[in-house]
Amino acid sequence: MKTRVLKTFIDTTLGFPVRLSNVKLMAVGDDWAPIINYPQLDARVLGVLSRLHRPLTGAEVRFVRQHHRLTQAAFAAQFGLSHVAVHKWEKRGDQATGMAWSTEKDLRLFIASGLSKDPASIGLLYAQLSEQGAPEAGASAKVLSLA
């Protein structure tokens, strides 16, 4: 099996672009396919999303919801909202959702609680998010970087 390493690779399979570094590729006929452990990538992306210094995009919210295998109504219920709010956020695509910071902070804590059951780490994230305050709306990025 022929392989090579690509210094920078943009993966779009999660519904939004994610920049990866040093991705191993394998030859498939005349093409090259990335060798990516997607469950591990999902966990890394969720960790980054919980700590971003910019608002979440609609595509990122959709990824989180789908990762947890929730309908829009079930996801909305986690935050005391209607499925219409979740639908509105997800329709924003690669743009910031425009959700209230208190809701986004709750969403980020929801993400983190799925990654760690350690109350201390969740408490630390809560403190960091509270200190950080609402991210600047204009601070959106088009590519999530895991490099």
Side-chain angles (χ1 to χ4, degrees):
M1 170 172 80
K2 288 192 336 186
T3 63
R4 69 178 189 177
V5 174
L6 193 60
K7 185 176 179 179
T8 301
F9 178 78
I10 306 292
D11 185 273
T12 58
T13 59
L14 302 181
F16 50 92
V18 178
R19 178 180 294 116
L20 304 171
S21 296
N22 301 315
V23 174
K24 193 172 186 179
L25 304 174
M26 70 176 187
V28 179
D30 293 336
D31 292 323
W32 291 91
I35 301 170
I36 297 173
N37 178 331
Y38 281 100
Q40 185 180 49
L41 177 62
D42 285 1
R44 287 183 61 205
V45 167
L46 288 167
V48 170
L49 291 178
S50 70
R51 290 171 167 75
L52 276 180
H53 291 283
R54 63 163 175 77
L56 295 172
T57 68
E60 293 163 347
V61 170
R62 180 181 174 109
F63 165 73
V64 171
R65 178 180 64 79
Q66 290 178 334
H67 174 80
H68 289 281
R69 294 186 168 102
L70 295 171
T71 63
Q72 288 181 340
F75 189 72
Q78 294 285 323
F79 307 102
L81 302 167
S82 74
H83 74 280
V84 175
V86 176
H87 178 74
K88 184 178 115 182
W89 298 335
E90 290 182 3
K91 272 183 63 172
R92 300 282 300 163
D94 66 354
Q95 301 299 311
T97 63
M99 73 176 74
W101 172 239
S102 59
T103 303
E104 183 157 337
K105 187 165 59 169
D106 287 348
L107 174 54
R108 291 170 185 238
L109 292 168
F110 172 80
I111 294 168
S113 69
L115 298 173
S116 171
K117 299 302 178 201
D118 175 26
S121 69
I122 304 299
L124 179 60
L125 177 60
Y126 178 81
Q128 290 169 341
L129 292 172
S130 296
E131 184 178 306
Q132 165 188 320
E136 293 292 324
S140 287
K142 296 294 182 195
V143 178
L144 185 69
S145 184
L146 297 184

